[in-house]
Amino acid sequence: VAGMPGSEVEVPLFYESNTEIAGIQFTISDNPDWFVGIEMISHIDDCFEVNSNDVNGDLIGIIFSLEGCDLAPSESASHFASIVYELSPNAYFGSEIELYFEEAIVADVNGESLPVDTIGGSINVSMVGDVTSDGEVNVLDVVSLINFILFVEEPNDYQFWASDLNGDGDLNVLDVVLLVDLILD
């Protein structure tokens, strides 16, 4: 996920399970601590309650059903919720904030604990197209992208990510066209 300093960022949460899940509790910490959790949003039916609280820089989340509903088994990643964070205005462009998904407890329909493996994520303090990291998408970004394409300059990891507008892993005229369209729109 990517976000701008001072903006809100929505981070998706996924699960995979070979059995029904009746409840999930977890803690997510960020490093550096530039996020404040605002809310958790359910992406499953209205049968589930979702709540969260940001405590000492860590977000504690819980999802459960008052009606006995469960999350169906899924062999692939199923999007069940998102967390809305507010990114500090002091965050630096080009930074990557690691999210650590910790202290997870997953309950089956009988209230028994299920074994859990967690995978964290990260948030880039950036904006696709903002190659120069100045908080704006403009002709300077086009000039930088062209310099990368012509091997006049070599992009760092952030610049490559911000320049690869179509996400195909290559910097070329396709990205230039999308960047110009982004500027004109």
Side-chain angles (χ1 to χ4, degrees):
V1 177
M4 298 276 294
S7 69
E8 290 185 2
V9 177
E10 189 170 318
V11 177
L13 299 176
F14 300 90
Y15 79 92
E16 286 182 34
S17 178
N18 58 6
T19 187
E20 294 89 8
I21 297 174
I24 302 172
Q25 177 183 327
F26 58 86
T27 300
I28 296 178
S29 60
D30 54 302
N31 186 23
D33 187 16
W34 283 337
F35 283 113
V36 174
I38 298 173
E39 69 176 321
M40 192 160 90
I41 302 167
S42 175
H43 292 283
I44 49 181
D45 61 42
D46 293 336
C47 190
F48 283 89
E49 303 293 320
V50 293
N51 291 286
S52 63
N53 191 23
D54 198 282
V55 179
N56 299 324
D58 293 340
L59 182 112
I60 301 170
I62 188 167
I63 184 168
F64 63 96
S65 174
L66 290 171
E67 300 172 27
C69 299
D70 57 65
L71 298 173
S74 175
E75 293 182 12
S76 61
S78 294
H79 187 194
F80 71 94
S82 293
I83 298 172
V84 179
Y85 285 102
E86 183 176 351
L87 180 55
S88 168
N90 299 324
Y92 304 116
F93 269 100
S95 298
E96 183 174 28
I97 302 166
E98 294 293 325
L99 297 175
Y100 301 98
F101 196 93
E102 305 168 325
E103 301 175 24
I105 302 170
V106 177
D108 68 12
V109 295
N110 299 315
E112 299 290 326
S113 180
L114 295 171
V116 178
D117 290 321
T118 62
I119 300 171
S122 63
I123 299 174
N124 291 308
V125 181
S126 57
M127 175 174 36
V128 173
D130 184 16
V131 180
T132 59
S133 301
D134 62 2
E136 298 178 24
V137 178
N138 55 35
V139 71
L140 296 175
D141 300 301
V142 175
V143 171
S144 293
L145 174 55
I146 291 170
N147 283 339
F148 299 150
I149 293 168
L150 297 176
F151 297 102
V152 172
E153 297 176 34
E154 186 166 333
N156 61 32
D157 289 342
Y158 167 79
Q159 291 168 324
F160 188 93
W161 174 85
S163 297
D164 188 15
L165 275 78
N166 65 359
D168 67 357
D170 293 317
L171 301 182
N172 54 41
V173 71
L174 302 174
D175 300 301
V176 174
V177 169
L178 290 174
L179 183 54
V180 170
D181 284 346
L182 186 63
I183 292 167
L184 294 177
D185 287 338

